Amino acid sequence: MTERTVLVTGGAGYVGSHACKALARAGYRPVVFDDLSRGFRKAVRWGPLVEADLADRAALAAAFAEWRPAAVMHFAALAYVGESMADPGRYYRANVANSLNLLEAMVAAGVGRIVFSSTCATYGDPIRVPIAEDHPQRPVNPYGETKLAVERMLHWFGRCHGLGWAALRYFNAAGADPDGEIGENHEPETHLIPLAIDAARGGPPLRVFGTDYPTPDGTAVRDYIHVADLADAHVRSLGRLLDGGGSHALNLGTGTGHSVKAVIEAVARRTNRPVPVEMAPRRAGDPPALVADATQARNLLGWQPACSDMATIVETAWRWHSAPPGA
């Protein structure tokens, strides 16, 4: 163990694996704690893997005893809105109960700093856009509600146990590692850009949910943030906590929205192929626009997205999804 060891729950997943690479590059040693139910062993490349479930309190205690991390990055969660509506109990167990296990294990082990992967879904339907951190948090699905429940636990563990925490509410994670070492790999895949790339490569047509929104082209608008920029923000946030900075909740986004139609056009330009689409009705709970006001992250962390323009996002995603298997 070194004082630079960080336990990364969910570190075999999409954002978690990119954060592990950024941690290693910054001089930390990431120790991944993941049950591999939705992550991938091959994505664990920058430190050891503890293959275990957060529901297993004994495994958590053993991991803290063996590795004695200075801090935790907590990505492990279920994250499908539709799935959360169909089975809210599963989301409360995975996202809330397991996070409580983690926080209690941290207190027992004397580990006092955590960076939590939160989401703009805690805000619910926006009453104003762009969305700043003081926007009311009124989730409209169990996924957002469970993430907000963890944020509230962090607050009280901070008040009662002195835990230093960061809750990073990110908008639409997108893209892949610019070096091509890791990328986005979900099962099932629900994100727009990989689905559009798959359609361009001959897969099923992309379903576009709603073309009658009050937006310039009628399709929903979202704020896409490159996964490498997300990882950088997590490392910066961790550094602030370890340097004695106060707890903080921050939005991570670019402040620029892109419509579904604009993203499809960007994929078509990069691939030089048409993206077949099927129009479908709006999905319940999908607001017309979600765009971040990330001023506080820029001011507090000195963070500036470096590769979150849509062309770079699509380019890195295309390279990742086009790479030969095993490359």
Side-chain angles (χ1 to χ4, degrees):
M1 165 278 191
T2 72
E3 64 178 17
R4 304 280 285 181
T5 297
V6 179
L7 189 73
V8 184
T9 73
Y14 176 39
V15 182
S17 62
H18 286 78
C20 286
K21 179 173 182 175
L23 283 167
R25 183 173 286 169
Y28 297 92
R29 178 171 63 170
V31 175
V32 171
F33 189 102
D34 200 305
D35 65 3
L36 301 182
S37 60
R38 298 199 174 179
F40 299 89
R41 191 181 303 274
K42 65 182 180 182
V44 181
R45 306 177 61 158
W46 292 278
L49 168 66
V50 178
E51 187 176 347
D53 193 318
L54 286 173
D56 186 341
R57 288 173 174 257
L60 268 171
F64 279 107
E66 178 178 2
W67 297 104
R68 293 180 292 151
V72 170
M73 279 193 185
H74 181 29
F75 297 95
L78 299 178
Y80 293 123
V81 169
E83 182 181 65
S84 79
M85 295 291 286
D87 193 353
R90 185 182 183 195
Y91 271 63
Y92 273 87
R93 279 190 298 273
N95 294 0
V96 181
N98 284 355
S99 293
L100 178 58
N101 289 343
L102 175 65
L103 293 178
E104 290 183 332
M106 290 178 63
V107 171
V111 178
R113 301 291 181 267
I114 182 172
V115 178
F116 171 57
S117 167
S118 193
T119 171
C120 66
T122 64
Y123 294 119
D125 291 331
I127 58 176
R128 58 181 181 271
V129 176
I131 300 169
E133 287 82 359
D134 62 355
H135 187 287
Q137 289 181 285
R138 298 169 182 164
V140 295
N141 53 64
Y143 167 60
E145 190 69 57
T146 56
K147 287 287 192 171
L148 179 56
V150 179
E151 287 197 18
R152 288 171 170 158
M153 284 197 294
L154 291 173
H155 166 78
W156 288 111
F157 271 69
R159 286 281 299 273
C160 300
H161 296 295
L163 181 72
W165 56 268
L168 303 183
R169 302 168 186 156
Y170 33 98
F171 282 61
N172 285 50
D177 172 40
D179 299 326
E181 293 185 289
I182 45 177
E184 187 166 11
N185 192 6
H186 297 118
E187 185 57 50
E189 185 57 76
T190 62
H191 290 179
L192 173 60
I193 292 172
L195 290 174
I197 289 173
D198 186 51
R201 299 179 68 204
L206 173 69
R207 298 189 76 195
V208 176
F209 295 98
T211 57
D212 59 347
Y213 285 104
T215 59
D217 63 24
T219 61
V221 171
R222 297 291 183 266
D223 188 337
Y224 294 88
I225 180 76
H226 196 286
V227 66
D229 287 329
L230 286 178
D232 175 56
H234 283 74
V235 174
R236 289 172 181 266
S237 187
L238 174 66
R240 185 176 191 276
L241 291 174
L242 291 176
D243 286 343
S247 298
H248 50 279
L250 299 172
N251 290 337
L252 297 181
T254 67
T256 300
H258 298 272
S259 71
V260 171
K261 183 179 179 181
V263 172
I264 293 170
E265 290 171 350
V267 171
R269 281 195 303 272
R270 173 57 187 89
T271 63
N272 199 28
R273 304 178 186 183
V275 179
V277 300
E278 290 180 352
M279 302 304 175
R282 296 187 194 186
R283 293 179 296 196
D286 272 354
L290 290 173
V291 178
D293 179 345
T295 303
Q296 287 196 42
R298 289 170 168 81
N299 292 342
L300 197 67
L301 304 180
W303 174 74
Q304 182 69 37
C307 46
S308 289
D309 60 282
M310 185 52 62
T312 301
I313 287 173
V314 171
E315 172 67 28
T316 57
W318 170 249
R319 289 204 307 262
W320 165 254
H321 288 289
S322 301

